[in-house]
């Protein structure tokens, strides 16, 4: 069972004092060093003997882990806090099936009370870096903190990029919320373009992709900078441009280079997979607004 599935299971079984201890541990984890029982007791406003009892339960459930005399949250603990956040805000009430396992994230279905489905993207950058490390050594706290930083930043960046893109075109998935290392997205039902699925009108799909890049650039001031057939989904007629955590501002000194890279990836793929021939230089000029037409 994955850390996210374990977290979802723990969501239903945690007692009040365990929640308070977990929340205290999370608050303490952003400070200096690893919190010991005394600090945890203050952070969670529980007597030391209650905290000891609760932290042991959290350890057994895989939500916290011992580091010398102190404690750290595990990835599962982090994901549990994120799930709890969404549930508290009435955004979701349960975790559904896994949709995809990526290099940097796992994506799950998340269910709303009304029966709708969202996609929950859970970042796992450096996925083995801190939970698998069993040996005690200096630097583990730093390792935990750098894991938190990388994953929390990715989720936050993706959320903010998608909010900037919202309303410009249906090709950009709507972002509902973000929390810790996760972002809650509109669910799309498509496959990656890299699988070369049958497309009703590949040339029209190519135009939509390039027009959307132009909208992202000129209206949201964003360049995806990791765009390729792996980050475009399709159902055969519609396309969606996903995966925005590394998006850069159009005003960034390297944005031109990034954009050219994206344009080349897209033009090369459409030519090879679907025989749609387009000049990358022309597409680039169209995206940046230097020319008014794609052809
Ligand atoms: N909003 C969504 N709705 C449905 N499925 C999605 C959604 N977002 C992502 N997915 C699925 O999850 C996969 C990975 O998503 P994404 O590319 O955003 O993450 P990633 O960590 O970069 O993955 P990878 O490293 O494999 O590219 C997608 O290829 C797609 O199958
Ligand atoms: Mg991707």
């Amino acid at each position: 069972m994955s850390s996210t599935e374990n977290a979802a299971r723990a969501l239903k079984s945690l007692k009040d004092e365990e929640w308070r201890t977990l929340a205290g541990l999370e608050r303490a984890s952003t400070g200096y060093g690893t919190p010991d029982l005394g600090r945890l007791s203050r952070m969670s406003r529980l007597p030391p003997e209650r905290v000891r009892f609760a932290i042991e339960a959290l350890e057994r459930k895989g939500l916290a882990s011992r580091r010398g005399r102190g404690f750290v949250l595990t990835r599962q603990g982090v994901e549990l806090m994120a799930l709890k956040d969404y549930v508290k805000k009435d955004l979701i009430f349960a975790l559904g099936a896994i949709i995809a396992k990526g290099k940097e994230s796992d994506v799950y279905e998340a269910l709303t009370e009304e029966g709708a489905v969202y996609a929950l993207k859970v970042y796992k950058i450096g996925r083995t870096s801190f939970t698998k490390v069993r040996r005690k050594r200096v630097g583990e706290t730093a390792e935990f903190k750098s894991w938190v930083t990388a994953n929390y930043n990715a989720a936050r960046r993706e959320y903010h990029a998608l909010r900037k893109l919202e309303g410009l075109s249906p090709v950009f998935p709507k972002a509902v919320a973000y929390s810790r290392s996760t972002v809650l997205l509109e669910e799309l039902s498509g496959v990656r373009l890299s699988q070369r699925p049958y497309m009703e009108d590949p040339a029209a799909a190519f135009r939509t992709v390039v027009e959307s890049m132009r909208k992202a650039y000129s209206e949201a001031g964003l360049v995806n900078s990791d765009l390729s057939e792996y980050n475009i989904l399709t159902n055969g007629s519609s396309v969606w441009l996903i995966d925005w955590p590394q998006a850069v501002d159009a005003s960034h000194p390297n944005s031109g280079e990034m954009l050219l890279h994206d344009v080349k990836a897209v033009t090369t793929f459409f030519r090879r997979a679907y025989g749609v021939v387009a000049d990358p230089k022309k597409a680039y000029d169209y995206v940046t607004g230097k020319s008014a037409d794609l052809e």
Side-chain angles (χ1 to χ4, degrees):
M1 200 176 279
S2 75
S3 62
T4 317
E5 285 159 334
N6 272 325
R9 223 168 42 162
L11 192 59
K12 299 185 179 96
S13 77
L14 237 57
K15 300 192 179 67
D16 183 55
E17 289 187 348
E18 290 166 22
W19 277 118
R20 286 174 61 182
T21 304
L22 199 62
L25 177 57
E26 186 181 46
R27 278 195 301 277
S29 298
T30 51
Y32 178 76
T34 38
D36 58 9
L37 276 179
R39 193 147 129 234
L40 268 186
S41 161
R42 289 191 297 280
M43 293 305 265
S44 46
R45 294 171 194 277
L46 286 168
E49 67 276 15
R50 300 307 307 164
V51 162
R52 183 193 301 275
F53 198 70
I55 196 81
E56 281 169 4
L58 293 173
E59 256 188 289
R60 279 195 305 278
K61 291 174 185 174
L63 302 167
S65 147
R66 225 172 263 268
R67 290 285 182 271
R69 289 164 50 80
F71 298 89
V72 290
L73 273 181
T74 60
R75 192 170 70 206
Q76 230 160 275
V78 166
E79 290 166 8
L80 175 62
M81 296 303 277
L83 289 175
K84 162 111 171 176
D85 202 13
Y86 296 132
V87 171
K88 207 170 71 193
K89 291 176 180 151
D90 270 334
L91 292 169
I92 65 169
F93 88 102
L95 190 73
I98 187 156
I99 302 174
K101 255 184 182 319
K103 280 191 308 295
E104 304 211 308
S105 70
D106 290 345
V107 179
Y108 292 86
E109 288 189 330
L111 316 173
T112 73
E113 207 106 39
E114 294 76 36
V117 180
Y118 290 130
L120 178 71
K121 182 168 176 180
V122 182
Y123 277 95
K124 306 208 161 160
I125 300 168
R127 60 175 75 218
T128 55
S129 75
F130 83 90
T131 41
K132 295 245 170 82
V133 179
R134 297 255 180 264
R135 280 179 303 129
K136 261 203 312 177
R137 58 180 167 83
V138 253
E140 278 179 359
T141 319
E143 204 171 348
F144 172 74
K145 278 169 195 161
S146 73
W147 182 90
V148 162
T149 306
N151 287 280
Y152 284 35
N153 283 349
R156 198 187 58 243
R157 286 205 194 106
E158 176 148 44
Y159 174 80
H160 288 302
L162 289 173
R163 288 309 298 257
K164 282 189 191 162
L165 295 165
E166 193 171 314
L168 295 183
S169 159
V171 308
F172 305 120
K174 286 194 190 69
V176 180
Y178 76 99
S179 180
R180 280 81 175 181
S181 55
T182 74
V183 49
L184 193 61
L185 305 163
E186 161 195 10
E187 195 200 34
L188 310 168
S189 51
V191 299
R192 291 178 189 210
L193 217 50
S194 59
Q195 292 177 27
R196 305 186 178 207
Y198 167 78
M199 297 285 287
E200 280 167 22
D201 188 346
F206 173 75
R207 271 196 307 278
T208 304
V209 170
V210 178
E211 276 163 14
S212 308
M213 291 170 75
R214 177 177 159 111
K215 280 186 186 152
Y217 188 88
S218 63
E219 292 174 50
L222 286 179
V223 173
N224 179 297
S225 80
D226 189 29
L227 197 64
S228 73
E229 62 275 26
Y230 295 97
N231 286 329
I232 299 176
L233 303 184
T234 184
N235 60 4
S237 52
S238 301
V239 288
W240 294 278
L241 274 49
I242 64 162
D243 207 3
W244 291 82
Q246 68 296 312
V248 299
D249 223 83
S251 65
H252 189 278
N254 291 341
S255 73
E257 205 181 302
M258 308 283 203
L259 181 61
L260 188 59
H261 182 273
D262 284 358
V263 165
K264 281 184 179 161
V266 168
T267 49
T268 305
F269 177 78
F270 270 89
R271 178 169 45 74
R272 288 198 186 139
Y274 298 106
V276 177
V277 179
D279 178 0
K281 183 72 182 68
K282 279 190 183 153
Y284 178 88
D285 287 345
Y286 177 69
V287 172
T288 55
K290 209 169 154 203
S291 67
D293 303 297
L294 188 49
E295 260 86 51

